[in-house]
Amino acid sequence: MSRKQEQDTGVPAIDRDTAATGRMRLRGVVDEAWRDIVSGTSHAFMLMLILAALVGGLSAADLFSIRSIAQQVDRYIASGASTYVIEFKGGISGEACERLSSVDGVLASGALRSKNDKVTSAVLPSASIPSLDATTGALGVFASSTRSGTVTLSTRDYDGIWLSSQAAQSVNASAGSKLALHAGGSVRIAGVFQYPDDGRSSNYQYVALSQVPVDANDFDQCVVKTWPVPDVLQALLQSTVSSWPSDASQQPTISQLNATQGSKLDAVKAFRERQSALAPLVMLVIAFFIGFAVVRVRRLELASAMHCGEPKTALWLQMLLEALVWCCSAILVTLPLTIWAITHMDTGIIIASPTLVGILSRVPAAALAGVLAGVTLAMLVTRERDLFRYFKNR
């Protein structure tokens, strides 16, 4: 720029040239990065596929590990291992037992007591079915015996009796049907609860349950289904005793419905110590080496560009832009896996969906961070003065 032009514009010639060069340099960096991607120089498509496979594989490994723990917990609960029974004949408060369902960690609770009469069907009069009075919560405990969660029963579910699966099979009854009685008349089968022979107590394997009000203190048992098992469970169960006996030999007894699955399942420890928890770290290391290698294989090209006057900062920005394109594309490719996992895989028993999203996002985040860190370090160690060495060792 001439001195006259400088005087006319009021801007020093050197400042305007520098500003123009800076604007062109930024546009040139973006254009050069785009040309490298489109022409295949950066191998963006191949790198995207490789990184997508790694991100998807490690995310899936962690996801299925979490699912496996959730299934283990579900089987533990469904087996009755997390269901406890306090037994004290004629001394359990129905209301106190039902109130336990409002405590954190208690899925359902209800009281039971034996009845003198039995259900004798016309189909099999020689095998009468023992009958138990059950509060609303107790029916809920048995109705959800094969599930990890709770079951909400309607008014119609209390109209009649509930049979264990073995009892229903013996008299050929099903939920909603009528069972003809030996003494005449019939009774409606409100529901059939599953009670498999898997090591759980046989006390409820062949029974009929009839719903009764909770306002009584003469129940025999309080059944409590829990998860996670409260630390103060024993105290909670003992709080259902309406009056404690003075005789030490006649104390309430507490038992696990199914002791064959172990007295405790530490799902939190299993979740924290799962091997797939290292997936983000593994992804970070692999992505770092990928990003580093991608730049290092082009060191001769980059050193030549620096030798021709291209600023190292502009080249670094160009490498970052190219890496961002194929790295973000790889993450977008694996996004459907995360969405499918959240909507279809049941892991809520040990981890909520928002937390699962955070866990699954760690692997893609590690991939992005690793690639960018690798690219940056590779650019730092790529120097113009090593141009002839790069050329010699190419």
Side-chain angles (χ1 to χ4, degrees):
M1 180 182 291
S2 65
R3 179 68 60 183
K4 184 177 184 302
Q5 289 173 321
E6 178 179 337
Q7 292 174 350
D8 292 340
T9 58
V11 178
I14 188 171
D15 291 345
R16 291 189 58 182
D17 288 341
T18 302
T21 303
R23 288 194 297 271
M24 289 299 295
R25 185 175 299 155
L26 180 59
R27 289 198 300 268
V29 167
V30 176
D31 291 342
E32 187 64 27
W34 178 248
R35 281 193 295 268
D36 283 352
I37 293 170
V38 173
S39 64
T41 303
S42 63
H43 304 288
F45 184 71
M46 180 188 69
L47 292 169
M48 182 269 289
L49 293 179
I50 293 173
L51 193 65
L54 290 169
V55 171
L58 288 172
S59 296
D62 195 26
L63 177 63
F64 282 101
S65 178
I66 295 173
R67 184 191 184 191
S68 177
I69 297 172
Q71 290 176 335
Q72 182 183 1
V73 171
D74 194 69
R75 288 192 297 269
Y76 187 81
I77 299 174
S79 70
S82 67
T83 300
Y84 290 81
V85 182
I86 181 169
E87 188 169 0
F88 184 43
K89 190 172 181 61
I92 298 295
S93 168
E95 291 182 344
C97 181
E98 289 273 335
R99 280 198 301 269
L100 294 183
S101 60
S102 61
V103 178
D104 289 341
V106 177
L107 301 177
S109 63
L112 300 165
R113 67 183 169 207
S114 302
K115 295 175 64 175
N116 292 328
D117 56 332
K118 298 182 178 182
V119 177
T120 306
S121 67
V123 177
L124 195 65
S126 60
S128 299
I129 304 173
S131 183
L132 297 176
D133 285 336
T135 62
T136 303
L139 291 178
V141 171
F142 288 101
S144 63
S145 60
T146 57
R147 297 177 55 184
S148 58
T150 58
V151 171
T152 302
L153 301 178
S154 64
T155 305
R156 188 164 177 77
D157 291 321
Y158 305 127
D159 181 18
I161 62 174
W162 278 72
L163 295 179
S164 64
S165 53
Q166 185 172 336
Q169 186 177 5
S170 67
V171 295
N172 195 26
S174 60
S177 64
K178 294 280 189 176
L179 178 65
L181 300 177
H182 180 64
S186 63
V187 63
R188 180 179 178 272
I189 307 301
V192 175
F193 64 90
Q194 300 298 315
Y195 201 83
D197 185 12
D198 56 359
R200 66 185 70 194
S201 171
S202 59
N203 293 343
Y204 315 106
Q205 195 167 29
Y206 191 78
V207 295
L209 304 179
S210 303
Q211 195 263 342
V212 294
V214 301
D215 54 349
N217 294 326
D218 60 348
F219 287 95
D220 302 330
Q221 301 162 351
C222 179
V223 185
V224 181
K225 181 180 180 180
T226 67
W227 189 262
V229 180
D231 295 332
V232 294
L233 179 62
Q234 184 172 350
L236 292 175
L237 290 171
Q238 291 175 345
S239 69
T240 64
V241 178
S242 56
S243 59
W244 284 84
S246 56
D247 188 352
S249 63
Q250 297 180 353
Q251 296 297 314
T253 59
I254 298 176
S255 60
Q256 197 176 0
L257 188 64
N258 189 347
T260 62
Q261 303 297 315
S263 60
K264 185 178 181 181
L265 176 62
D266 195 342
V268 174
K269 181 180 179 181
F271 177 76
R272 290 175 177 172
E273 296 181 356
R274 71 191 191 282
Q275 292 184 349
S276 62
L278 297 175
L281 179 60
V282 174
M283 185 71 259
L284 180 67
V285 174
I286 295 175
F288 174 83
F289 283 109
I290 291 176
F292 186 85
V294 164
V295 174
R296 287 300 287 172
V297 297
R298 299 175 64 182
R299 61 188 180 275
L300 178 57
E301 170 195 339
L302 296 171
S304 299
M306 284 186 277
H307 184 69
C308 294
E310 184 72 20
K312 191 172 184 176
T313 304
L315 292 172
W316 169 69
L317 180 58
Q318 177 187 332
M319 294 297 103
L320 285 181
L321 290 175
E322 293 180 16
L324 279 172
V325 169
W326 54 263
C327 187
C328 292
S329 297
I331 294 173
L332 289 176
V333 167
T334 61
L335 187 60
L337 171 66
T338 304
I339 297 175
W340 178 85
I342 296 169
T343 56
H344 289 81
M345 298 187 73
D346 185 14
T347 59
I349 193 169
I350 61 169
I351 185 170
S353 293
T355 308
L356 181 61
V357 173
I359 291 175
L360 294 181
S361 65
R362 293 175 185 174
V363 172
L368 182 60
V371 166
L372 297 182
V375 168
T376 300
L377 181 61
M379 281 301 305
L380 288 175
V381 299
T382 302
R383 295 168 294 189
E384 178 191 354
R385 68 180 184 218
D386 295 329
L387 172 61
F388 295 105
R389 183 168 61 86
Y390 297 154
F391 181 80
K392 182 178 178 181
N393 298 330
R394 71 187 187 281

